[in-house]
Structures are given as structure tokens and as C-alpha cells.
Amino acid sequence: MIDIFEKRIIITALIVMGLFIFSLFYALGAKKADVTECLPYDKTYETARVEQLDKSTYQIFYVARMWTFEPAVAYIPVGSDVDLFVTSHDVVHGFDIYNKNVNLMAVPGGVSKTTIHFDQPGVYKVVCHEYCGTGHQNMQAEIIVNYPKKK
Ligand code: CUA
């Protein structure tokens, strides 16, 4: 026999769960948020670099270490989709792109991945948001989004 209060708690819990699941799908669809993936560690991610897959798709492989991000500057044409891969060579660092919906952790032995779209030109600041030692506040990089090069 279920008590009336138990029943209320169960119904409330189901409503909260429903709202949570709805908000997840809402964020994925309407807000076009990309859920961060954690990839298995792979040596190919260790080398910091920018790669172009096709005309408007790029990949940036970031390596974080005290107290820099490599590549420190990345150039991306306007309108590109960019896969970001982030790993660390020492301690845990953060990876946040100012004014963009990107917030990753750079973890030694792990790779975080997300995809973003740059539809506005500008200089996008990347900062470390996880305290990582005395140089933490200077740990930053830039993604420079400029107009596509003319052929
Ligand atoms: Cu790296 Cu804080």
C-alpha cells in the first residue's frame, strides 16, 4: 500500500526527471549545443596542430601545459565548423572560449572533444578556467576568425 505522501514524492520526482530530459533535448536542438565527448586517449592527439578537412571544416588539436595552450594562435575562416580536441601534458586545465558556448576540461591521459561553428569574424579568447598553479591567470590562446581567403 503506497502512502499518499509517497505517491506525491514519486509524481514530483517523475515531473522533475521529465523536465530535465526535456531541457536536455531542448538545449541540443534549439540551442544547437554540442555535448562534449570524452575520447579514449590516443597518441595522435598529443601533437598540437590545426588541420583542414575540407573547405569549411577544420580540426584544432590543443595541448595544454603549464601555462600555455598550443597552438597559441589558430586562424580559421568565417563560416567554418571546427572540431576541438583538448588534452593536457601535465595537470588538469580548463578550456573556455569567451563568448562561445565552449567549456572543456584538459585532462592528462584524456581527450575532450566538441564542435563549434564560427559565423562571426573576430578574435576569440581562450582561457584556462581551472586553477593550475602560479601562471594560471596568464594561460590563454586566441582563435582568429577572419574572412575566407580569396582564391
Ligand atoms: Cu591552466 Cu589554469
Side-chain angles (χ1 to χ4, degrees):
M1 186 63 194
I2 298 182
D3 185 83
I4 181 77
F5 293 108
E6 261 183 308
K7 212 172 183 178
R8 281 184 195 164
I9 287 169
I10 290 169
I11 289 169
T12 310
L14 286 175
I15 290 170
V16 170
M17 274 166 63
L19 276 175
F20 175 71
I21 291 165
F22 169 79
S23 63
L24 266 185
F25 281 99
Y26 178 77
L28 281 176
K31 299 287 180 192
K32 292 201 170 86
D34 188 61
V35 175
T36 304
E37 292 173 61
C38 295
L39 302 178
Y41 189 68
D42 182 330
K43 276 220 154 70
T44 57
Y45 299 123
E46 273 198 359
T47 319
R49 63 197 187 275
V50 182
E51 279 184 8
Q52 183 173 6
L53 293 188
D54 60 41
K55 220 177 157 195
S56 61
T57 313
Y58 287 77
Q59 293 186 319
I60 309 178
F61 295 84
Y62 279 101
V63 174
R65 54 160 68 87
M66 294 174 187
W67 288 281
T68 57
F69 291 107
E70 274 179 81
V73 182
Y75 292 90
I76 300 291
V78 168
S80 301
D81 289 310
V82 181
D83 298 328
L84 298 171
F85 299 89
V86 180
T87 190
S88 169
H89 275 181
D90 41 41
V91 298
V92 174
H93 298 276
F95 185 95
D96 180 85
I97 303 181
Y98 188 69
N99 270 342
K100 273 285 186 190
N101 193 12
V102 172
N103 184 337
L104 302 173
M105 298 305 290
V107 181
V111 177
S112 304
K113 187 210 166 197
T114 193
T115 303
I116 47 167
H117 181 76
F118 287 105
D119 51 3
Q120 294 291 326
V123 177
Y124 293 82
K125 289 277 181 195
V126 177
V127 294
C128 176
H129 61 68
E130 182 72 27
Y131 183 73
C132 55
T134 52
H136 163 70
Q137 72 279 359
N138 298 323
M139 188 165 167
Q140 52 186 285
E142 282 177 351
I143 300 173
I144 297 177
V145 178
N146 46 19
Y147 291 98
K149 286 176 208 122
K150 296 216 173 77
K151 280 180 209 160

